Amino acid sequence: MAKSTSEALEGTLPGEGMLFMVPTPIGNLEDITLRALNTLKTCDLILAEDTRHSGILLKHYGIQKPLLSYHKFNESARQEQILGRLAEGQQLALISDAGTPGISDPGERIVREVIHHGYTVQALPGASAGISALCASGLPTSEFHFLGFLDRKSARRRRKLEACLELPGTLVLYESPHRMEKLLEELHDLMPKRVVVIARELTKKFEQWTRGRAEDLFARRESIRIKGEFVVLIGPDGFDPFSDMPTQ
Ligand code: SAM
């Protein structure tokens, strides 16, 4: 049975240092939970990947809290400061620019350190681009493999994709617009018959879904808009529910 924030926190000692992983919207400012907003309002400090970027969200919800930057370039430098605050019994909230912190975003390292030092980490459920894309993709959801971003180097990207060829279930990956065309070419070369779904600009004004076999998408790559943010999903070998549907 669902509980309110105060009930859910019963059992944690007052003044006990805690780290909250707080998901933020991936495009639509309304995609944030009441609990996330309450946590951001009541914590002692917000650790933000980009304090200026997060300032827009916080201002929108009238949240005024001290912010401290926490990003991939200062992760280790911040560690002592964060542990020091937890030792004082502070409650800290970690947010990234969009979606769930720690998922292709800073967070993984500090979570490990905080656990290692005996403090509690609480994960608030919320937006994550890969999960949103998967659940509306039409591809199998019972087993999926999240690859995050592929390497920038061609040989490593190919090796990774080759290593995934035998995996059952759907592959979910993030890709930057600069490498989308390259990715379509790689998928065409390595798995031409697989069904690929491209989820672009989820939750935003120009949200767009493109579905088709890898070879078809590669053939019409020039007509596919490659501006914005993308999740790319690849169906398992032999799965083609759209074979009798016109390509979208
Ligand atoms: N932590 C985030 C999450 O939980 O989804 C992911 C952060 S990662 C740095 C950013 C990547 O996520 C983008 O390059 C894109 O691949 C994907 N992404 C984020 N927002 C998106 C959106 N609105 N639509 C499609 N993909 C998105």
Side-chain angles (χ1 to χ4, degrees), residues 23-28 49 96-106 126-133 146 148-149 173-177 198-204 207-208 228-232:
T24 55
I26 56 167
N28 184 325
E49 185 179 9
S96 63
D97 287 354
T100 300
I103 305 302
S104 295
D105 263 342
S128 196
I131 295 296
S132 300
F146 177 65
F149 286 99
L173 56 95
Y174 290 159
E175 191 52 284
S176 93
I198 304 174
R200 171 176 173 263
E201 296 284 84
L202 289 172
T203 77
K204 302 185 201 175
E207 173 168 331
Q208 187 181 34
E229 296 193 283
F230 300 89
V231 181
V232 179

Side-chain angles (χ1 to χ4, degrees), residues 78-164:
R78 283 281 189 247
Q79 194 172 298
E80 222 170 291
Q81 228 172 331
I82 292 171
L83 293 171
R85 284 176 179 266
L86 293 173
E88 289 167 13
Q90 293 197 14
Q91 309 236 311
L92 312 180
L94 176 63
I95 58 178
S96 63
D97 287 354
T100 300
I103 305 302
S104 295
D105 263 342
E108 178 188 326
R109 221 161 129 171
I110 193 66
V111 164
R112 225 174 353 257
E113 281 308 316
V114 169
I115 295 169
H116 182 73
H117 284 80
Y119 301 105
T120 306
V121 180
Q122 282 220 349
L124 275 60
S128 196
I131 295 296
S132 300
L134 176 68
C135 79
S137 66
L139 297 175
T141 56
S142 57
E143 179 170 350
F144 65 91
H145 301 268
F146 177 65
L147 307 182
F149 286 99
L150 294 177
D151 203 281
R152 286 166 193 225
K153 301 233 167 73
S154 298
R156 289 194 196 159
R157 294 168 65 87
R158 282 201 177 240
R159 267 205 303 278
K160 179 79 179 178
L161 288 169
E162 276 165 5
C164 293

Side-chain angles (χ1 to χ4, degrees), residues 8 34 56:
L34 296 175
I56 299 169

